[in-house]
Amino acid sequence: LIQKAYKFRLEPTDIQAQRLRQLCGCARFVWNYGLAETKRVLDSGNKLPSYFDLNKLLTAWKKQEDMAFLAEGYTDNLQQKLKDLHTAWMRCFDKKLAANAPVFKKKSDGRDSIRFVNFNKYCELRARRVKMPSGLGWIKFRQSREIAGNVKNATITQKGEHWFISFQVEFEVESPKHTSTSMVGLDAGISKLA
């Protein structure tokens, strides 16, 4: 099973771009709030909350009056941000990876992103357009090549003033079989034969 990504420039209408900015803003807020919460927990000497625990916190945050705007976000996007945060912390704790601790995201970075999972259930591709949930509808994109494989998820990113969509696909590839029936020896040096 091979995974591959296809990235294209997205061409949202003004209304769709406004909705994308709103979804990205909610996702950025959840990342930053979740990061502050996990840092507080870790600084108090407790262990990192699980992804499941972070999702329970998200439900509680949505019920708070000062965070009621999170209801305007798409729950799957927000949960994916918390999953990404949990993964970032796990990479930080893995001594083999030596990854840095996650950092707060800024709107001024101009690199917001949201991920839509369960693509086949909630989304659809048709003739250089993609149908997205959460009030986005059909969005045009500049499809420069055929998308081969089963689309698993889509990530929408903003870079500067432009929007991009990346489709992660999976497809099966047969193991290559060598046609030769004779044996081959490799010379690894003067005194050794591989």
Side-chain angles (χ1 to χ4, degrees):
L1 202 61
I2 301 287
Q3 291 184 341
K4 184 176 180 177
Y6 295 92
K7 187 174 183 178
F8 305 102
R9 172 117 172 249
L10 205 58
E11 297 180 332
T13 64
D14 290 342
I15 293 170
Q16 289 169 330
Q18 177 61 33
R19 179 65 178 145
L20 286 170
R21 282 190 290 275
Q22 184 181 35
L23 292 173
C24 286
C26 288
R28 185 182 347 99
F29 178 86
V30 164
W31 170 278
N32 288 337
Y33 205 80
L35 179 56
E37 180 64 22
T38 52
K39 280 188 173 193
R40 184 191 65 73
V41 168
L42 292 170
D43 289 345
S44 68
N46 294 316
K47 67 177 189 171
L48 180 71
S50 69
Y51 167 60
F52 179 74
D53 292 334
L54 290 174
N55 277 340
K56 286 199 300 190
L57 287 175
L58 175 61
T59 304
W61 297 340
K62 284 183 172 183
K63 293 177 182 175
Q64 294 179 20
E65 190 174 322
D66 59 335
M67 292 190 222
F69 64 91
L70 288 177
E72 297 294 320
Y74 186 55
T75 303
D76 284 4
N77 296 152
L78 304 181
Q79 289 175 345
Q80 284 302 306
K81 275 299 174 194
L82 291 176
K83 187 174 186 177
D84 292 345
L85 175 63
H86 188 266
T87 301
W89 275 118
M90 297 309 288
R91 290 176 55 83
C92 173
F93 295 143
D94 188 340
K95 291 179 176 36
K96 294 177 199 167
L97 298 175
N100 294 329
V103 296
F104 292 99
K105 296 182 183 288
K106 299 176 187 173
K107 183 178 181 180
S108 60
D109 288 345
R111 293 180 293 154
D112 281 331
S113 68
I114 48 175
R115 186 165 55 251
F116 294 88
V117 293
N118 298 324
F119 189 87
N120 292 329
K121 185 174 182 183
Y122 299 112
C123 307
E124 188 178 343
L125 273 175
R126 190 186 307 152
R128 298 177 183 237
R129 297 184 313 148
V130 59
K131 185 177 183 183
M132 304 302 285
S134 189
L136 289 168
W138 288 97
I139 307 175
K140 292 181 184 177
F141 66 96
R142 297 181 182 181
Q143 186 174 358
S144 55
R145 58 186 168 163
E146 199 63 36
I147 300 170
N150 180 28
V151 180
K152 301 302 281 181
N153 63 59
T155 302
I156 295 179
T157 56
Q158 182 181 22
K159 191 167 185 181
E161 59 187 49
H162 300 294
W163 293 93
F164 298 88
I165 188 162
S166 179
F167 300 103
Q168 182 188 10
V169 300
E170 282 185 352
F171 54 93
E172 289 189 32
V173 177
E174 288 185 33
S175 299
K177 295 179 183 173
H178 198 281
T179 57
S180 176
T181 57
S182 61
M183 297 183 80
V184 176
L186 297 175
D187 186 0
I190 295 173
S191 62
K192 295 180 181 176
L193 184 65

